[in-house]
Amino acid sequence: MNQVSEQAVLQALSRIQDPDLHKDIVTLGFVKDLNITQGGEVSFRIVLTTPACPVKEQFADAAREHVGGIAGVTKVNVTMDAEVPKGRGFTDKTQMPGVQNIIAVSSGKGGVGKSTIAVNLAVALAQMGAKVGLMDMDVYGPNVPIMLGIALEQPKVYVNKLIPVEAHGIKVMSMALLQPGDKPMIVRGPILHGLVRQFLTDVVWGELDYLIVDMPPGTGDVQLSLAQLVPVQGAILVTTPQEVSLSDVRRAFRMFETVNVPVLGIVENMSYFIAPDTGARYNIFGEGGGARLADEYDANFLGSVPLGIEVREGGDCGVPVVVSHPDSPQAKALKIIAEEVARQVSIEALKPELVVLKKGL
Ligand SMILES: Nc1ncnc2c1ncn2[C@@H]1O[C@H](COP(=O)(O)OP(=O)(O)O)[C@@H](O)[C@H]1O
Ligand SMILES: [Mg+2]
């Protein structure tokens, strides 16, 4: 029997296209550690750009099928793996060696569910196998620790650095952990800048695929400081379907444009309410605003999250809805949004030339 050649295996695998990157997985360099035994047993790893890849299983099945079809192959061992690539621009700004991507969750105004989205997004990505940090930069109303059930914890200090608190599989840092109680923060521009810097460099974040940053509402100093200090891979804008809220998002859009942070997409929260008793759908804050806005700005629409009592309860009692009610429509919507965010980050990371073009406009 002829020995199965490496070339034949790679040729078979090159039939698998990445739907987002529009290239095959061999050209993209996703196939690693190919090994073929005398007996025709073929083993390899497929290393994707995010563990939160919705087509992971399809890739594995297709790989098994295509390679299994080669004459002489007796067994196919596929290992699915992920290495999140480092976002662009990390060399010329603040050094955060272990952090691959920074994602800001922002909104035009408060109360639209920004922290809720940031918390559930971070936990959902961790559930999918990513290494995730969550930095609560809403210095005026830091409520992430309550939402994660760690309001009474205090970060440990190690050689002048802060160790983030761990909860639901993610690493967390927040002003509220350093200054417990409900004293309002009164900080102005220059001090804020220092605070943002400290949260980035004086916290032992370690190895992270995604550092999610929960921003204060609006278009203020924290947004500018973050963009100046580190390369932010992208911003997610949260809105409700209401017009008032949408006009605030427009302002946020312009701000991110001026600081060269790409907007990864728009999340519409509190989109509608399904009455648990009758199943009737109520569009409490109007309909379709997020999608219209995405259309207007040529941005991605990342998804919509319906209103749900479980979401608020989860926030109040410290267990995010993706953990407490993983099968609820809200949690499912949030998980799809997490996959979508990971996908957009991968697309941005692997298309540097496009990003530069966009920035040069
Ligand atoms: N989809 C939702 N369904 C029900 N309640 C929600 C939803 N999204 C957010 N909330 C609640 O609305 C309030 C404001 O949300 P929050 O995330 O704190 O907003 P922001 O960070 O934008 O100020 C919180 O009490 C939260 O639990
Ligand atoms: Mg908030």
Side-chain angles (χ1 to χ4, degrees), residues 134-336:
L134 177 59
M135 176 165 135
D136 179 8
M137 275 278 64
D138 190 348
V139 285
Y140 307 105
N143 51 6
V144 163
I146 294 179
M147 292 181 163
L148 287 166
I150 49 169
L152 299 176
E153 298 207 19
Q154 281 192 333
K156 294 188 174 65
V157 178
Y158 178 75
V159 212
N160 290 333
K161 295 223 177 193
L162 288 164
I163 313 281
V165 173
E166 299 213 9
H168 302 290
I170 61 174
K171 294 181 179 172
V172 189
M173 188 47 71
S174 164
M175 269 319 287
L177 293 172
L178 303 175
Q179 208 189 27
D182 42 22
K183 252 185 294 171
M185 282 279 298
I186 306 166
V187 270
R188 309 228 175 269
I191 294 178
L192 266 183
H193 192 77
L195 261 179
V196 177
R197 191 206 310 272
Q198 271 193 310
F199 267 47
L200 291 166
T201 55
D202 294 352
V203 173
V204 188
W205 289 111
E207 302 274 316
L208 294 181
D209 295 323
Y210 308 103
L211 176 62
I212 311 287
V213 188
D214 184 20
M215 305 293 269
T219 50
D221 292 317
V222 174
Q223 277 81 353
L224 294 178
S225 291
L226 186 74
Q228 277 165 15
L229 288 166
V230 282
V232 180
Q233 260 41 71
I236 297 164
L237 293 177
V238 182
T239 178
T240 66
Q242 228 174 349
E243 189 50 38
V244 209
S245 163
L246 293 181
S247 64
D248 295 318
V249 181
R250 286 197 180 95
R251 213 166 305 130
F253 242 109
R254 265 178 237 124
M255 180 208 58
F256 281 117
E257 214 165 57
T258 49
V259 293
N260 275 333
V261 171
V263 174
L264 292 177
I266 292 173
V267 171
E268 187 183 89
N269 188 27
M270 312 189 183
S271 297
Y272 52 88
F273 176 69
I274 309 260
D277 43 357
T278 61
R281 174 179 167 140
Y282 297 94
N283 294 319
I284 295 174
F285 294 113
E287 202 182 1
R292 270 200 302 279
L293 189 81
D295 214 35
E296 186 181 326
Y297 278 87
D298 204 14
N300 302 301
F301 185 59
L302 300 171
S304 43
V305 184
L307 274 163
I309 293 164
E310 306 87 349
V311 179
R312 192 202 38 81
E313 279 174 354
D316 290 349
C317 72
V319 185
V321 73
V322 292
V323 176
S324 66
H325 297 82
D327 295 321
S328 62
Q330 289 78 9
K332 284 185 181 155
L334 285 158
K335 284 186 232 178
I336 291 173

